[in-house]
Amino acid sequence: GKKSISVNLRVITATNRDLAKEIKENRFREDLFYRLNVFRIKLPPLRERKQEIYELVPIFVQQISSLLNKRVVKVSNEYYKMLVDYNWPGNIRELRNAVQYSIATLDGPILLEKHLAGFFNQVSQQIKKEERLWPINTPFPSKLSDLEKIAIQNSLLLAKGNKMKAAKLLGIGRAT
């Protein structure tokens, strides 16, 4: 159109990066930072506030159990202990995924330690698989083209040969 329309809006943003550091390294625009940085809320990762697990799990259980038509009457202490002992690199999203996995595999009305075991086994298997992609004793390539080749080979491994998925993992087009 040719007519200006005034709008009143608020922008809410989130990041897991240190934006001051990103600005210093020229990876984030300083002017944009000051436009966005009006009201800052610093929320530490879940691993630094594990006591909240006891408040979050009942909320997730209620949401997910109704979604999956499962009845959960209790969450065992052992279940909570497994959750609290874990480091949560995926933060609250990973916690929600763990609860969802548990409820999907639930075979009674009580969430038990055994309902989490499969979730944590999948996570550790994926981490071990990703660790194999770059062996510790292998020297780092000296040429950028060698590093690119290794990145492409590893993404193809992760994508099980699917070139579209591999390209998506790398953030590039399939033709590239």
Side-chain angles (χ1 to χ4, degrees):
K2 295 181 181 184
K3 182 178 160 188
S4 295
I5 301 171
S6 296
V7 293
N8 183 10
L9 62 102
R10 292 186 183 142
V11 176
I12 299 172
T13 61
T15 183
N16 62 352
R17 305 212 184 239
D18 179 356
L19 290 182
K21 182 181 173 189
E22 296 294 314
I23 290 168
K24 285 179 187 171
E25 295 176 5
N26 289 325
R27 290 193 298 244
F28 195 84
R29 287 181 28 200
E30 187 174 17
D31 63 314
L32 179 57
F33 173 76
Y34 288 115
R35 286 182 187 270
L36 296 173
N37 192 30
V38 176
F39 185 78
R40 178 185 276 181
I41 300 171
K42 174 128 173 64
L43 189 61
L46 184 60
R47 68 183 154 274
E48 293 176 18
R49 51 193 174 94
K50 289 188 177 182
Q51 71 281 1
E52 291 185 20
I53 289 172
Y54 294 98
E55 297 168 28
L56 292 167
V57 168
I59 294 167
F60 294 151
V61 165
Q62 182 186 13
Q63 292 171 345
I64 296 164
S65 63
S66 66
L67 185 70
L68 298 178
N69 288 327
K70 297 266 188 149
R71 186 171 162 258
V72 179
V73 296
K74 183 181 176 190
V75 179
S76 73
N77 291 334
E78 295 81 15
Y79 185 89
Y80 276 117
K81 182 173 178 359
M82 276 188 84
L83 294 176
V84 171
D85 288 346
Y86 186 63
N87 195 33
W88 300 109
N91 225 332
I92 291 175
R93 286 184 191 95
E94 187 178 17
L95 173 64
R96 189 177 196 289
N97 290 345
V99 173
Q100 185 169 354
Y101 177 91
S102 301
I103 293 173
T105 60
L106 188 64
D107 55 359
I110 301 172
L111 280 174
L112 301 168
E113 185 178 7
K114 70 178 183 176
H115 298 115
L116 275 173
F119 179 81
F120 289 130
N121 286 342
Q122 286 178 346
V123 170
S124 66
Q125 285 173 358
Q126 183 64 31
I127 290 168
K128 286 176 186 169
K129 183 179 180 182
E130 289 172 8
E131 286 172 354
R132 284 195 310 262
L133 297 177
W134 191 272
I136 294 169
N137 297 329
T138 305
F140 198 74
S142 58
K143 289 193 259 174
L144 182 60
S145 61
D146 292 339
L147 187 60
E148 288 174 339
K149 181 180 177 181
I150 292 166
I152 292 168
Q153 288 171 338
N154 287 342
S155 66
L156 282 166
L157 279 172
L158 285 172
K160 297 179 179 139
N162 184 318
K163 293 176 185 175
M164 277 301 293
K165 285 182 182 177
K168 197 177 247 187
L169 286 169
L170 291 168
I172 60 174
R174 186 186 183 281
T176 305

